[in-house]
Amino acid sequence: MLVAACSLEDGLIGPSTPVTDKHTFSKITKPHPSCWSRSSHGTINVSQALRDSCNYFFYEMGYRLGNGKKDVVNNESGLKKLKNYAEKFGLTETSGVELAEAEPKVSDTDTVRSAIGQGTNSYTPIQLSRYVTTIANQGTCYNLTIIDRIADVTKNTTKKNKATVRNKLRFASSTWTAITSGMRMVVSDGSINKLFKGLSVNVAGKTGTAQESKSKPNHALFVSYAPYENPEISVTAVIANGYTSSNAAELASDVYKLSLIHI
């Protein structure tokens, strides 16, 4: 979603700009990266690319961010743009929660592969939560907190606490629509649809798979929020070595089933 925002806001594409998935991205020198699917996703726009998790589409965005021409990509320029947008979404620093938290890492190598989350990108679940929450409310990035109030029983006083605003993103409404509608289609039209049937609200989300080692199963991820039309909560599920993102999506679905009792 971050790369989609960067590409849309920087004018590399519009919400309806078509890109044809040729499966193997051969615009850069070998080894050529390929889309995860065994066949092409066809000609799609950015919302459909989010729905399909089309690697090829976002390889192309990384290529354009690096001003790719004739097999030459300016990685330094492309990565600088990606980091700039990572900063906007709060992904360049810890989330603000009052717990020990690892520092985030924005990729500093290979703008094409970094555009699908590979490279050296590394974030904690709470950092992903701040990121997806910023998308859900269309631009307000908060410093998160887990403290609701502080009570002093000796003085019989209570100090209420709430999350503070870190920054606000002034993106075009069409950018938010393109991204959020794509996230909604991930849940409504994708293979994980059956996991969310029966819920009383519509969920928007994005699946993810993090590959760390060939000797271990992939990590499974799913970021989301609900209700889609008027967000109130977000759920980020990460299962270490969880094999496939659908497992994380199923976990998130179970959390929603419990959470919705209180909405």
Side-chain angles (χ1 to χ4, degrees):
M1 291 83 74
L2 183 153
V3 178
C6 183
S7 301
L8 289 161
E9 287 296 300
D10 281 17
L12 300 179
I13 57 170
S16 301
T17 300
V19 171
T20 299
D21 175 8
K22 299 179 181 178
H23 191 260
T24 299
F25 193 79
S26 57
K27 291 185 178 182
I28 57 175
T29 55
K30 293 181 179 180
H32 298 147
S34 297
C35 200
W36 64 269
S37 64
R38 294 182 180 180
S39 60
S40 169
H41 289 108
T43 300
I44 53 179
N45 61 33
V46 64
S47 300
Q48 294 165 330
L50 288 168
R51 175 197 66 192
D52 299 336
S53 293
C54 181
N55 290 352
Y56 188 97
F57 186 100
F58 290 102
Y59 287 144
E60 174 66 24
M61 296 304 103
Y63 182 77
R64 295 185 187 187
L65 286 169
N67 302 311
K69 296 179 180 178
K70 296 182 179 179
D71 299 337
V72 177
V73 178
N74 186 331
N75 282 305
E76 182 179 358
S77 175
L79 291 167
K80 183 178 180 180
K81 293 173 184 176
L82 290 176
K83 187 172 184 178
N84 177 44
Y85 275 80
E87 193 282 329
K88 294 176 186 292
F89 282 101
L91 287 171
T92 55
E93 59 188 44
T94 52
S95 69
V97 294
E98 299 82 0
L99 295 169
E101 182 181 344
E103 292 288 335
K105 169 70 174 178
V106 182
S107 182
D108 57 6
T109 181
D110 193 338
T111 186
V112 169
R113 290 177 174 83
S114 294
I116 71 159
Q118 292 185 333
T120 55
N121 283 299
S122 183
Y123 309 100
T124 65
I126 192 65
Q127 289 155 13
L128 295 178
S129 293
R130 172 154 73 170
Y131 165 47
V132 72
T133 299
T134 303
I135 294 171
N137 63 47
Q138 299 198 3
T140 303
C141 182
Y142 287 95
N143 291 311
L144 304 186
T145 180
I146 59 171
I147 297 175
D148 178 57
R149 60 186 180 274
I150 301 171
D152 186 335
V153 295
T154 61
K155 297 180 180 180
N156 195 29
T157 60
T158 299
K159 179 181 179 181
K160 293 184 178 181
N161 185 57
K162 63 180 181 179
T164 57
V165 175
R166 176 184 181 270
N167 63 285
K168 292 189 176 183
L169 284 64
R170 308 296 183 182
F171 292 171
S173 60
S174 58
T175 294
W176 294 120
T177 298
I179 293 171
T180 56
S181 62
M183 294 176 69
R184 174 58 190 150
M185 287 192 290
V186 169
V187 179
S188 64
D189 300 352
S191 60
I192 63 170
N193 172 264
K194 60 182 181 294
L195 300 175
F196 293 87
K197 285 188 174 180
L199 290 180
S200 59
V201 298
N202 293 323
V203 176
K206 185 69 190 77
T207 52
T209 304
Q211 300 158 324
E212 182 179 1
S213 170
K214 291 183 178 181
S215 63
K216 296 180 180 179
N218 295 331
H219 303 307
L221 298 90
F222 184 72
V223 297
S224 62
Y225 65 87
Y228 168 64
E229 300 81 2
N230 187 25
E232 293 187 40
I233 61 174
S234 68
V235 177
T236 296
V238 179
I239 304 177
N241 305 122
Y243 289 91
T244 176
S245 57
S246 61
N247 290 333
E250 184 173 10
L251 172 59
S253 175
D254 290 340
V255 173
Y256 278 113
K257 290 171 184 176
L258 292 173
S259 301
L260 292 175
I261 297 173
H262 305 290
I263 291 184

